[in-house]
Amino acid sequence: IAKIETFVQERAEVQRGIADHTDAAVSAALFDNNAECACSLVEDAFHGSSDATHAVLHLHRGGAPALERFDEACPGIRAKLMAALYGADVWRACFCRATDLRSFEYHHYTPGGSVADNQHRDDGSCLTISCLLQAASCGGELHTFHSDAWRCHDDLKAGDAVVFLSDKRHNVSCVEAGERHSIVMEVWENEANEWNRHK
């Protein structure tokens, strides 16, 4: 487990920066300004949720230009996440391997939203980091599977992150009240991805 002590100083500042520097789809998804329409532009936008209680926006879609816009809006955040991910690689999953960004995702959960599949894995990736931006009022906890048992990461605060092997099972419990916001990054042994997770 890796902790990021300060991910954002004030969430409002980050949101204003994103609104100023990124395209309308990202802005809309972050601020709920027609989020459903915005996310419909992104393949795999909803994880089997017909009512959009769990929306996913791929911040890496479009490659380097899209990532540069994010970096301008949120200086140092992506680099900090990447450093935390590699720094926590006690499994040496990326040792002597040419890895690059597979996925950089913004997740927004509303009541009823979850990643409920107990078999969910980030197959094809090496390492995953999940950083909490805002916890739900009730529910929405990250769970990871280690040593034949599930661990509930219910002690995470805004800015905290968990790093785990991508092929390990993990999920997010159902949000019962409030909203959950997070950013998830994966690296894989391949060239940088410019589409969704599967291309």
Side-chain angles (χ1 to χ4, degrees):
I1 297 173
K3 296 282 188 178
I4 301 177
E5 294 182 355
T6 306
F7 182 37
V8 290
Q9 295 182 357
E10 294 183 13
R11 190 162 186 269
E13 288 184 5
V14 175
Q15 289 180 333
R16 282 195 297 272
I18 290 173
D20 290 340
H21 292 89
T22 60
D23 58 68
V26 176
S27 175
L30 290 175
F31 305 119
D32 292 327
N33 298 328
N34 198 13
E36 184 174 356
C37 177
C39 287
S40 71
L41 301 174
V42 182
E43 193 172 347
D44 298 340
F46 304 117
H47 282 253
S49 174
S50 60
D51 58 356
T53 55
H54 177 197
V56 182
L57 187 70
H58 297 102
L59 299 172
H60 64 277
R61 185 173 185 175
L67 294 173
E68 288 168 5
R69 288 196 300 272
F70 180 87
D71 291 342
E72 289 174 5
C74 307
I77 297 299
R78 186 166 59 97
K80 190 170 187 178
L81 283 170
M82 191 71 80
L85 183 147
Y86 284 121
D89 186 12
V90 296
W91 312 276
R92 297 168 67 88
C94 298
F95 183 69
C96 291
R97 300 173 74 179
T99 57
D100 213 328
L101 183 68
R102 179 192 188 176
S103 183
F104 186 34
E105 304 169 349
Y106 167 81
H107 290 248
H108 178 220
Y109 302 77
T110 54
S114 68
V115 177
D117 182 5
N118 282 338
Q119 299 301 316
H120 176 75
R121 297 172 170 88
D122 297 333
D123 291 327
S125 295
C126 301
L127 280 180
T128 299
I129 183 169
S130 177
C131 182
L132 183 67
L133 299 179
Q134 176 183 311
S137 303
C138 183
E141 294 93 1
L142 174 68
H143 294 76
T144 54
F145 191 80
H146 299 279
S147 303
D148 300 323
W150 284 98
R151 176 179 178 183
C152 177
H153 300 275
D154 56 0
D155 58 341
L156 298 180
K157 297 178 177 60
D160 289 346
V162 178
V163 176
F164 50 90
L165 291 168
S166 301
D167 63 358
K168 296 297 183 182
R169 287 187 286 166
H170 58 280
N171 57 43
V172 175
S173 64
C174 184
V175 171
E176 298 178 26
E179 298 183 3
R180 182 182 195 272
H181 301 259
S182 63
I183 285 184
V184 177
M185 177 183 285
E186 301 171 29
V187 295
W188 64 350
E189 193 174 13
N190 208 328
E191 60 186 15
N193 187 18
E194 297 185 0
W195 196 248
N196 64 358
R197 293 189 67 258
H198 306 291
K199 276 193 175 183

